[in-house]
Amino acid sequence: MHIVLDDTAMEAVGRGNILVSRLIHRAHIEPDWFLYAPACALVEADRMRPGTAKRVAALPGIAVLDLDLEAALALARHSTWAAAHSQYAAVPTADRPDGAVIATTDPTRWAGQPLKVLDLTP
């Protein structure tokens, strides 16, 4: 299971969202569960709740995804860098042929997008 945390999900870590906590715990103990934190979404989460970036990046089982050239080019097609990097991280790749699920506390943000969404609203 490959899951991309969007900025709202990362911000919810600091608020003690039980669903995000369970997701992080599961990814830590299950060898076939992977959590990703796109760098641009991590920055936005830290803007919403200062200290979030350090906290999320320090959690075991979460891989921070760098902004590579392909991701940077994808940013131009979206209104926010956080959403663009999250969506880019969720598309299918050679490592993730089925793509990834986007975990969010704002599922309406992803309405109409060809993405799998995991609603973390408590």
Side-chain angles (χ1 to χ4, degrees):
M1 175 71 70
H2 297 274
I3 301 170
V4 175
L5 301 173
D6 77 356
D7 54 309
T8 67
M10 288 186 262
E11 189 265 338
V13 169
R15 288 187 285 111
N17 179 305
I18 189 70
L19 297 175
V20 179
S21 296
R22 287 179 183 164
L23 185 63
I24 292 167
H25 176 71
R26 181 110 189 237
H28 180 66
I29 63 170
E30 297 286 339
D32 58 343
W33 280 59
F34 303 93
L35 291 182
Y36 304 99
C40 292
L42 189 59
V43 168
E44 188 59 32
D46 200 69
R47 286 182 180 159
M48 291 188 295
R49 187 175 183 89
T52 298
K54 285 183 181 178
R55 183 173 184 173
V56 169
L59 290 169
I62 296 180
V64 176
L65 299 178
D66 294 332
L67 182 63
D68 61 15
L69 177 59
E70 291 298 318
L73 294 174
L75 296 180
R77 296 187 295 270
H78 293 275
S79 58
T80 71
W81 286 30
H85 201 185
S86 297
Q87 183 172 359
Y88 173 78
V91 299
T93 65
D95 295 336
R96 298 182 306 272
D98 294 327
V101 176
I102 293 188
T104 184
T105 61
D106 183 11
T108 60
R109 166 193 282 183
W110 303 107
Q113 298 294 324
L115 301 166
K116 296 173 270 185
V117 175
L118 176 61
D119 185 355
L120 299 175
T121 306

